[in-house]
Amino acid sequence: MTTYTTPINGFDTYTSDGGLGLEVRIDRDRPPLGSFVFGPAYDGTCFIIFGNRLYYCKPKQPEAWPALYYVEVGAPQQPGTTGIFHGGQPHYFTVSNIYYIQGTGNGLFQPIPLKTKTGAQSSRGAVSVDGKGIYHTGPDGLYLYSSGSDHKITEDTLEPIFRGTTKNDIPGVADMSTSWLHHYRNTLYFGYSSTAGGYPTNVLTLNLQNNKTAYFVYNDGSDLEIRAITTDDTNERILIGDGTGFVRVIESTSNADDSGTAISWEVQSKDYTLPTRKHFPRWVKYDVDASNATSVTGELLLDGSVHHTHTITGNRVTRRRLVGEGNGNRAAERISGSGPATIYSAEFE
Amino acid sequence: MSRSIFNPTGTLNVSWDASDLPGEVSDNTEVSGHMTRCKNLRINQHGKLATRDGSAKLNTTAIDTDVWWIEEMSTTGTRYTFAGDKIYEDESSLATELTEAQWSAMQYNAFNDTTKQIFALNGTDRKRITAGAVNEWGLAAPTVAPTLGVGSGTGLTGQYNAKYTYVRKVGTALVSESNPSPAADAAVVLNNQSLTIDITDPTDPQVTHARLYRTLAGGSIYYLDIEVPVSTTYAYGYAHDWESDDAYIAGTGYDFTVTDSTHGTENTYTWEELFADREDEDSPDDPNYGGGWIGSGGGGTYNESTGTWDSIP
């Protein structure tokens, strides 16, 4: 079997001049070969970042990008990294600035630089959260732009991490250019790599209601490299693409492990100190539901070193657990384990 | 004796010195909720921590490991994953040999097209993605000017030129149209004659129609004259290889076919030139020795509802 295509030619027209139709349009260019696309705006305008230009299409016509439909934003040396909508208006990011794109329609768009401390370090380095503002990545932490001011929200609690220092087994940030921010429901997720040029294996979460943070790492035998993340609106879940070629659902209430591997976890208290003397701990109580866990261990630390270890089982068995003789200026409690567990409190005297 | 109580009501803090984190002291008891470690624990319930929710693979066979972007079509739930040099639809390969670079994508549809689509780019490739298909994003303008001539009709007098565009229609709605081709090198002067226009076939499979524009007599502005469907592709069978590759036995004594230079085929019967079947009931999906039809038009009059040729010209 072979094929033959008849050419479309040989049209013989004698339509009168009065019978002709509309004038040919010359504003149907293809989209520019940009680096980032976002849209549509409420009027159907879509945007493409190409160098330091922000192109836009004809409203409601995402396949028509007139060649001169663009505004230059910032200096050519600072190309755009990403764009988002916030409050219905497009916002354009470079690594060091945020621009509010004012106006609607061709010839009316104007980039207005906002008074921010930084911009976005990657194509997924900014998200808009209604009622909060714009969360964005700086080279030294996460920022929240809201009501005309830009606050570094990680300085108070996570500063060493963003200076590249591993602290309490939370790896330091090595490369913000591959990091990402993702907002899902009441949580902001920040993925980062602790290896230069690598992709995120570490995730910091921020609860947007109580502003508490936690550190997540996904591991099904080895730490997962989360290269892409999105929200599956249809099924109401978060999807990730990992560095082993699998698309996964995470934060799934239907799953208590990571693809069959029990989730290892840990929590540690502050260092308790006494003003005039050392701690001489005698016993520890753990209020933990470990009934479904694979294993749970409680540890008492003195001056940063493990002084005594207890195995914890059962559901909220809070009897006193004796500890060995010893003393220290600083005392802390650490509870770690794997599998489903709930930690309520710990106490020592 | 002093008692210390850890009640996880605070937040993870690795910035402060661990002994400077706040606590409430009363009656020889210090209570603090601040944490120096909080790994893989949910923090969304006051006064307690719980192991975070788990994760699971959606695909059993790995796709390319360089995952750039995942876009979930909000209307269907279909996942489109840009990984390596490929695009996957629910983890099945949909397009290959693309540039390996960071993609980004959005979902939208033109005002006169009800089907939401994914528009994606990576600095080198620009793609429009629908269920089961990846096409170029937008239509490239024809680069070859039309060829003009004098036709056999009557009615036009004066100097005329023409351009053409490529069009993608969905049903009867024109969703996308390219910029126009260059004008013909030389205008044609007619004296109560008609204008013939030859154009170049599109190579982009998403093009459904071409639009021909021409000037008014002596004018320089181009107006729509006619819109025509793009080329129809026919399929036809053959009994011997030489029918396909023209490698028939040399010598006029064996040359019992007639060369059809227009279509580049060797025919035994004149009706083969028309790419039409005999008046038996061949269907488009069941090509017979005379040839089958897989296009949207034909040399004869084809009845799509019955799958038969009503007449052969």
Side-chain angles (χ1 to χ4, degrees), chain A residues 28-39:
Chain A
R28 311 284 184 168
D29 298 81
R30 295 189 65 195
L33 289 168
S35 58
F36 191 83
V37 57
F38 64 108

Side-chain angles (χ1 to χ4, degrees), chain A residues 22-305:
Chain A
L22 297 173
E23 182 180 342
V24 69
R25 306 291 297 270
I26 55 171
D27 56 0
R28 311 284 184 168
D29 298 81
R30 295 189 65 195
L33 289 168
S35 58
F36 191 83
V37 57
F38 64 108
Y42 59 85
D43 68 342
T45 302
C46 306
F47 298 89
I48 289 177
I49 296 172
F50 184 36
N52 72 324
R53 293 178 176 180
L54 181 65
Y55 282 84
Y56 46 92
C57 70
K58 296 171 74 72
K60 300 182 179 65
Q61 298 181 62
E63 294 178 63
W65 297 77
L68 296 179
Y69 272 35
Y70 70 86
V71 289
E72 290 195 44
V73 188
Q77 296 81 5
Q78 287 237 320
T81 53
T82 190
I84 60 169
F85 289 97
H86 180 66
Q89 283 297 122
H91 287 66
Y92 171 104
F93 294 74
T94 67
V95 293
S96 56
N97 289 298
I98 303 176
Y99 294 85
Y100 167 71
I101 307 300
Q102 187 182 59
T104 55
N106 180 36
L108 299 175
F109 288 120
Q110 291 291 335
I112 309 296
L114 300 179
K115 295 186 184 304
T116 58
K117 295 168 182 166
T118 184
Q121 309 307 303
S122 67
S123 63
R124 302 301 299 263
V127 294
S128 168
V129 179
D130 288 343
K132 291 286 188 179
I134 298 173
Y135 289 92
H136 58 110
T137 54
D140 58 347
L142 304 184
Y143 289 76
L144 172 61
Y145 178 79
S146 177
S147 302
S149 61
D150 206 24
H151 298 286
K152 185 178 175 184
I153 59 172
T154 52
E155 181 152 309
D156 192 46
T157 57
L158 296 166
E159 180 65 9
I161 305 303
F162 288 93
R163 292 174 63 85
T165 304
T166 296
K167 190 75 183 289
N168 294 350
D169 293 334
I170 302 176
V173 177
D175 193 347
M176 291 293 283
S177 68
T178 57
S179 65
W180 47 255
L181 281 172
H182 187 72
H183 169 231
Y184 181 67
R185 293 181 175 167
N186 198 38
T187 303
L188 182 73
Y189 297 85
F190 168 67
Y192 69 94
S193 171
S194 55
T195 307
Y199 285 86
T201 54
N202 310 286
V203 179
L204 292 170
T205 68
L206 171 67
N207 185 300
L208 297 174
Q209 182 65 34
N210 57 27
N211 289 322
K212 294 179 182 178
T213 55
Y215 169 66
F216 285 3
V217 60
Y218 297 87
N219 184 304
D220 68 348
S222 58
D223 290 350
L224 299 183
E225 189 179 68
I226 303 176
R227 300 180 62 120
I229 184 168
T230 193
T231 297
D232 179 348
D233 291 312
T234 304
N235 300 294
E236 296 186 341
R237 59 188 181 179
I238 304 176
L239 301 180
I240 63 165
D242 70 27
T244 59
F246 289 97
V247 177
R248 302 175 192 245
V249 54
I250 64 169
E251 300 295 276
S252 167
T253 55
S254 303
N255 295 97
D257 54 34
D258 287 339
S259 301
T261 301
I263 298 168
S264 65
W265 50 264
E266 67 175 359
V267 61
Q268 183 173 320
S269 71
K270 63 165 282 188
D271 283 351
Y272 295 91
T273 58
L274 297 171
T276 58
R277 57 185 174 83
K278 294 180 180 247
H279 279 286
F280 290 85
R282 297 181 300 155
W283 53 261
V284 181
K285 286 182 180 178
Y286 302 101
D287 188 359
V288 176
D289 180 0
S291 53
N292 294 316
T294 305
S295 65
V296 178
T297 301
E299 295 171 315
L300 179 69
L301 293 88
L302 293 176
D303 293 334
S305 299

Side-chain angles (χ1 to χ4, degrees), chain A residues 62-63, chain B residues 73-76 80 107-119 128-131 168 170-171 175:
Chain A
E63 294 178 63
Chain B
M73 184 69 87
S74 58
T75 51
T76 62
Y80 293 91
Q107 299 178 36
Y108 196 36
N109 54 284
F111 69 95
N112 54 358
D113 185 1
T114 56
T115 303
K116 187 173 277 190
Q117 297 155 36
I118 291 173
F119 297 92
R128 180 180 62 84
I129 304 168
T130 53
R168 182 171 69 86
V170 176
V175 175

Side-chain angles (χ1 to χ4, degrees), chain A residues 4 10-13 15 21 28 30-31 62-63 168-169 215 234 245 247 255 258 264 270 343 346-347, chain B residues 3 6 21 30 36-37 40 49 52 54 58 63 72 126 136-137 168 179 194-195 197-198 214 224-225:
Chain A
Y4 174 75
F11 297 105
D12 196 349
T13 175
T15 308
R28 311 284 184 168
R30 295 189 65 195
E63 294 178 63
N168 294 350
D169 293 334
Y215 169 66
T234 304
V247 177
N255 295 97
D258 287 339
S264 65
K270 63 165 282 188
I343 299 97
E347 176 182 353
Chain B
R3 180 175 296 185
F6 169 51
L21 290 169
E30 180 177 5
T36 57
R37 295 173 190 257
N40 285 336
L49 303 171
R52 67 162 169 79
L58 295 183
I63 61 173
E72 184 263 343
R126 295 161 288 189
E136 290 299 311
W137 180 357
R168 182 171 69 86
N179 275 336
S194 62
L195 176 68
I197 307 171
D198 286 354
R214 71 163 173 83
L224 176 63
D225 186 342

Side-chain angles (χ1 to χ4, degrees), chain B residues 43 59 116 139 142 168 194 203 211 215 230 296:
Chain B
I43 48 179
N59 47 320
K116 187 173 277 190
L139 298 175
R168 182 171 69 86
S194 62
T203 56
R211 281 189 159 190
T215 61
V230 295
S296 59

